[in-house]
């Protein structure tokens, strides 16, 4: 089996195994908390309904109204600043869900806008990420030259290491700033930054949603954080994908080289001669064409035959015929014409007697 097939099969097995492990861990961590939290919320609802004497129907209407009014708690969402933030969330494939179009025309435009904007945004992030990798490669090379290292070439592993560290710094610093402006715990802010830059976008934590507390510089920072953070993440992902493709290319070249070597060493049949690597493999002999009745005497008598009295017919290749006759009809200086002629006379007399 080829290395590429083995790697692909291994990735499939690892992915499904990873999913099963994740399901088991989330089940053990969140299921008990979910049951406990649901019980507490139900108990609070029961107390509120008993205190204010609210029927089930009215309480359900209140719940629906609260859920629908949540996106408007931060003020008007569809002014230019809020619409710009929403547009970035759409084309960056984050999709918080904190604010969605409600009109028919808005929904139709959102679909068309996303259809053209998502590929454009992905290509832009990939292109900028490649330029960022080139810049970092040049910087690392100059740093190695400054330290007078023997090996100044920058490998993909070096770039992956740098981009991963840069991504970690961006997430850590961004979490600190969001924690200050949003009033979140640092772990919640760190969680928000990671979910945003990986374009998961659950929407349980969304920045710029506090009413009358959004400042201009904080608004600009939020947009730049998403753009620059996604660029760095795209650079890291681009390196990882490139590394995987490089491994596949190396395996393909190795397979082609092995196939070429095997073809060179292959043994094949050219006519009736077995050859390999442009040379004769064995001392192959052509099949004789019998033109007359063979003698009943021993094979050792063939050395007495004359060149004028051939049993084997000529072949298409004179060189091979000559080689065959030289191998199978050896002649020595000790053989003379008189002995040959006497033997032939004796043999023909024997045939006549039969």
């Amino acid at each position: 089996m080829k290395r590429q097939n083995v790697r692909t099969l291994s990735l499939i097995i690892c992915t499904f195994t990873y999913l099963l492990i994740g399901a088991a861990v989330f089940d053990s961590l969140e299921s008990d908390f979910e049951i406990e939290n649901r019980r507490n919320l139900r108990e609070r609802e029961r107390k509120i309904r008993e205190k204010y004497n609210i029927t089930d129907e009215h309480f359900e209407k209140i719940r629906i109204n609260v859920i629908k009014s949540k996106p408007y708690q931060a003020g008007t969402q569809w002014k230019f600043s809020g619409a710009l933030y929403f547009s970035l969330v759409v084309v960056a494939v984050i999709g918080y869900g904190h604010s969605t179009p409600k009109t028919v025309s808005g929904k139709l435009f959102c679909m068309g806008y996303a259809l053209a904007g998502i590929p454009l945004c992905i290509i832009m992030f990939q292109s900028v990420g490649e330029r960022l990798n080139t810049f970092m490669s040049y910087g690392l090379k100059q740093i190695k030259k400054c330290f007078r290292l023997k090996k100044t070439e920058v490998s993909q592993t070096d770039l992956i290491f740098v981009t991963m560290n840069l991504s970690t710094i961006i997430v850590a610093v961004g979490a600190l700033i969001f924690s200050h402006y949003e009033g979140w715990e640092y772990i919640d802010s760190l969680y928000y930054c990671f979910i945003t830059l990986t374009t998961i976008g659950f929407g349980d934590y969304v920045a710029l949603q506090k009413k009358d507390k959004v400042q201009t510089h904080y608004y600009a920072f939020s947009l730049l954080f998403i753009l620059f953070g996604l660029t760095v993440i795209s650079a890291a992902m681009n390196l990882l994908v490139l590394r995987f493709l490089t491994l596949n290319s190396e395996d393909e070249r190795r397979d082609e080289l092995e196939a070429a070597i095997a073809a060179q060493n292959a043994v094949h049949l050219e006519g009736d001669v077995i050859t390999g690597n442009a040379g004769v493999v064995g001392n192959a002999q052509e099949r004789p064409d019998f033109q007359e009745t063979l003698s009943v005497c021993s094979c050792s008598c063939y050395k007495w035959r004359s060149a004028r009295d051939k049993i084997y017919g000529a072949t298409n290749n004179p060189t091979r015929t000559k080689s065959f006759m030289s191998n199978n009809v050896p002649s020595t200086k000790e053989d003379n014409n008189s002995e040959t002629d006497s033997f032939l006379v004796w043999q023909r007399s024997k045939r006549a007697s039969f």
Side-chain angles (χ1 to χ4, degrees), residues 264-337:
Q264 290 179 358
N265 296 330
V267 177
H268 51 90
L269 188 65
E270 295 181 357
D272 291 332
V273 179
I274 300 175
T275 62
N277 198 13
V280 178
V281 175
N283 195 12
Q285 300 176 352
E286 296 185 357
R287 185 175 181 180
D289 296 327
F290 296 98
Q291 294 179 349
E292 62 177 89
T293 309
L294 291 176
S295 173
V296 296
C297 64
S298 174
C299 293
S300 62
C301 298
Y302 288 143
K303 66 180 181 178
W304 298 100
R305 293 190 179 277
S306 172
R308 298 188 304 272
D309 195 17
K310 296 178 181 178
I311 292 178
Y312 296 94
T315 58
N316 295 329
N317 194 335
T319 304
R320 293 176 183 173
T321 305
K322 182 178 180 181
S323 174
F324 172 77
M325 295 299 296
S326 62
N327 290 334
N328 294 276
V329 190
S331 61
T332 61
K333 294 181 179 180
E334 298 177 356
D335 296 334
N336 49 53
N337 294 330

Side-chain angles (χ1 to χ4, degrees), residues 207-218:
L208 304 176
Q209 297 302 302
K210 287 192 173 182
K211 187 177 181 180
D212 300 330
K213 290 186 179 181
V214 178
Q215 302 176 11
T216 304
H217 61 277
Y218 176 57

